Amino acid sequence: MQQIHARQALTPEGWFSDLTISIDEGRIARISRGNTAGVSSVDLLLPAPVNLHSHSFQRAMSGLTETRGPDPKDSFWTWRRLMYRFLDRLTPDHIEAIAAMAFMEMLEAGYGAVAEFHYLHHDIGGIHYANLAETAERVAAAASETGIGLTLLPVLYSYGGCDGRELQGGQMRFGCSLDLFEQLHSACTDVIREASRDHHIGVAPHSLRAIKPSDLEAVRSFCPTGPIHMHLAEQLAEVEEVEQHLGARPVEWLLEHADVDEDWCLIHCTQMTNTETSALAATGAVAGLCPITESNLGDGIFNGTTYQQAGGRYGVGSDSNVHIALWEELATLEYSQRLRDHSRAALADATSSTGRRLFDAITHSGSQAAGRSSGSIEQGKWADLIAISTGNEFLINRKGDALLDSLIFTGRGRSCVTDVWSAGRHMVKNGRHIHRDQIVERFMTVSAQLGQEI
């Protein structure tokens, strides 16, 4: 049994000092006052949130898509064409090495688990691997090597647009008919069954433009009790395309035609009316926000203040993994609301500071979105935990909500993370992942093989 003593800790009942957390078989077995066992102490202990949306392979593209294309109105769609060209180079070995790098960085940033939106299924040109779950096995292997908790979300991606056009170029590596996807999902379920006890399986219809809407019910039947994730209303052009072909805006159409509930996580939703925002909040689903990626791609600003006022649940993810930084995701989300509304403390409420409100939201909703029993320092939950050093020039040994505010808004949160546990696995020590050197070396080799140009 592991034990961690915290001089300060955030629990569901609020802030406490002088707590000892006992961990058995990956779960929090007991929480007690004092330090009778004499174990070493950490300054601050927090629940480690789930990174609820990742495309791990895109980590290798970080920094390579910041030049402008021939169109002066460079956009998400230009970036997507570059991503498809990049896909023409990746092998399963590359995919595993890149995923390990991304997962390691997530742990060092303070995430305890990741929901991997996994759509890179096939070989170059869409040729099927002999093992349909080849790339899923590589993602699971990277999760096992790094020790991060994993919710694998195999993605159904069938068409190049709402008009049902065939997939082209790099898209062909994603493509599945409904029948093939059923086989693929079954194979991925077997992969997760053989993995760590805290790993889970879900399902992900990619978006309303990449599937046949009538297939939604069948997709859900492949994983009736797991989380279901879907890209929704990310780009203006996407909204226009869906409205033209389905007769309604994406959020409006989905809420009318699917039983959206607490199992759902709708990714981005950066293009919503106030009516759609309130309606989505009422379902109990999680809005999966990726503020750094959404900023990088120019997606737009999530209607966060209206959504929160309506009781909506939201978490954060690193999406394209252009910059894996938990605390900066939260600051970016808050600052987007301030810039849009010319306000301050936009997502604070009458009882909680901005940092506390953000952190509570993402820990609770992230675990919901991943189908993971985590998100709080509570008996019986997976021991997903972050230790923070507070005796520095950024946090200045502050207490309570002011400490969370400082952690998020000083922009130095990552440098203050000393230790991270995922389901009791102590993977980050003294700010470094325990396998960092070998993971980075392999990633550097792969990056050299892939080259510096897209």
Side-chain angles (χ1 to χ4, degrees):
M1 182 179 290
Q2 296 184 71
Q3 290 187 312
I4 309 165
H5 177 258
R7 297 185 183 94
Q8 187 176 184
L10 180 59
T11 77
E13 290 74 40
W15 293 100
F16 284 86
S17 59
D18 194 24
L19 289 186
T20 294
I21 313 300
S22 300
I23 303 169
D24 189 25
E25 296 186 348
R27 294 187 181 271
I28 298 172
R30 187 169 65 253
I31 302 172
S32 55
R33 300 302 295 268
N35 187 13
T36 56
V39 300
S40 60
S41 298
V42 301
D43 290 346
L44 170 66
L45 198 66
L46 298 171
V50 172
N51 178 339
L52 56 62
H53 189 67
S54 163
H55 309 301
S56 59
F57 74 90
Q58 293 177 14
R59 169 62 181 85
M61 295 170 54
S62 179
L64 296 179
T65 61
E66 301 306 321
T67 56
R68 177 173 288 178
D71 185 346
K73 294 182 178 180
D74 200 75
S75 68
F76 165 82
W77 308 99
T78 307
W79 175 90
R80 193 176 72 154
R81 287 195 295 273
L82 295 173
M83 186 262 287
Y84 291 156
R85 281 162 46 191
F86 177 73
L87 283 167
D88 286 338
R89 306 182 184 187
L90 294 179
T91 69
D93 286 344
H94 294 153
I95 291 165
E96 183 174 342
I98 297 165
M101 184 68 187
F103 294 164
M104 180 199 74
E105 290 181 312
M106 292 173 196
L107 285 160
E108 290 186 342
Y111 292 109
V114 60
E116 179 68 13
F117 198 94
H118 176 61
Y119 56 78
L120 181 48
H121 300 310
H122 311 304
D123 203 348
I124 296 166
I127 298 169
H128 299 169
Y129 292 107
N131 170 15
L132 268 180
E134 173 70 35
T135 59
E137 285 189 358
R138 299 309 187 103
V139 169
S144 295
E145 179 184 9
T146 59
I148 200 167
L150 174 67
T151 296
L152 183 67
L153 300 162
V155 174
L156 173 65
Y157 196 123
S158 303
Y159 305 106
C162 288
D163 57 2
R165 60 185 176 271
E166 293 184 356
L167 302 178
Q168 302 288 329
Q171 287 180 322
M172 297 171 71
R173 299 194 70 173
F174 312 155
C176 284
S177 66
L178 189 62
D179 289 343
L180 180 63
F181 181 71
E182 183 175 15
Q183 298 173 48
L184 173 69
H185 193 279
S186 177
C188 290
T189 301
D190 290 341
V191 169
I192 295 303
R193 190 176 293 121
E194 296 299 317
S196 300
R197 289 179 301 126
D198 65 305
H199 290 190
H200 303 282
I201 189 79
V203 69
H206 181 273
S207 60
L208 289 177
R209 58 185 165 78
I211 68 164
K212 186 185 299 181
S214 59
D215 286 345
L216 267 177
E217 186 175 351
V219 171
R220 185 55 172 149
S221 72
F222 301 155
C223 190
T225 60
I228 177 168
H229 289 217
M230 187 177 191
H231 289 133
L232 193 68
E234 178 180 3
Q235 287 280 327
L236 288 169
E238 172 192 4
V239 173
E240 293 169 1
E241 183 179 350
V242 170
E243 192 166 20
Q244 177 183 352
H245 287 272
L246 298 182
R249 293 165 54 87
V251 175
E252 179 187 9
W253 188 94
L254 186 70
L255 295 185
E256 184 176 340
H257 291 86
D259 294 325
V260 177
D261 60 16
E262 294 181 357
D263 285 343
W264 286 71
C265 180
L266 287 316
I267 308 300
H268 301 306
C269 296
T270 44
Q271 308 297 333
M272 290 197 297
T273 66
N274 285 340
T275 299
E276 291 168 345
T277 301
S278 298
L280 180 61
T283 66
V286 173
L289 311 178
C290 309
I292 291 175
T293 293
E294 288 155 6
S295 298
N296 183 268
L297 297 179
D299 286 344
I301 297 174
F302 178 72
N303 197 359
T305 49
T306 300
Y307 188 75
Q308 183 172 278
Q309 289 164 6
R313 306 173 189 184
Y314 60 87
V316 296
S318 59
D319 195 356
S320 68
N321 297 302
V322 65
H323 180 47
I324 299 172
L326 166 60
W327 315 106
E328 290 177 43
E329 294 285 4
L330 302 184
T332 301
L333 172 59
E334 168 66 20
Y335 287 160
S336 71
Q337 308 301 298
R338 296 183 187 189
L339 286 167
R340 182 194 60 212
D341 299 335
H342 310 286
S343 68
R344 292 202 73 255
L347 294 172
D349 61 24
T351 60
S352 300
S353 70
T354 308
R356 176 66 182 277
R357 186 67 186 84
L358 287 164
F359 192 73
D360 283 351
I362 67 157
T363 49
H364 298 156
S365 297
S367 58
Q368 174 184 321
R372 184 176 178 83
S373 179
S374 64
S376 60
I377 299 177
E378 188 175 358
Q379 187 173 340
K381 295 292 184 75
W382 289 117
D384 292 357
L385 303 166
I386 318 170
I388 303 288
S389 170
T390 63
N392 52 60
E393 67 272 33
F394 309 114
L395 305 186
I396 324 170
N397 289 316
R398 289 173 176 155
K399 306 290 184 184
D401 287 4
L403 178 52
L404 271 180
D405 292 337
S406 300
L407 188 63
I408 294 167
F409 294 104
T410 62
R412 296 295 189 274
R414 183 167 184 157
S415 67
C416 300
V417 172
T418 61
D419 298 80
V420 178
W421 293 260
S422 174
R425 298 178 292 266
H426 193 177
M427 303 310 299
V428 175
K429 300 180 180 181
N430 299 316
R432 287 175 55 90
H433 192 280
I434 60 174
H435 302 313
R436 164 171 265 281
D437 291 344
Q438 67 195 51
I439 291 170
V440 170
E441 181 179 3
R442 194 162 76 249
F443 176 75
M444 294 290 286
T445 299
V446 164
S447 296
Q449 292 170 352
L450 292 172
Q452 300 301 310
E453 301 287 340
I454 298 181

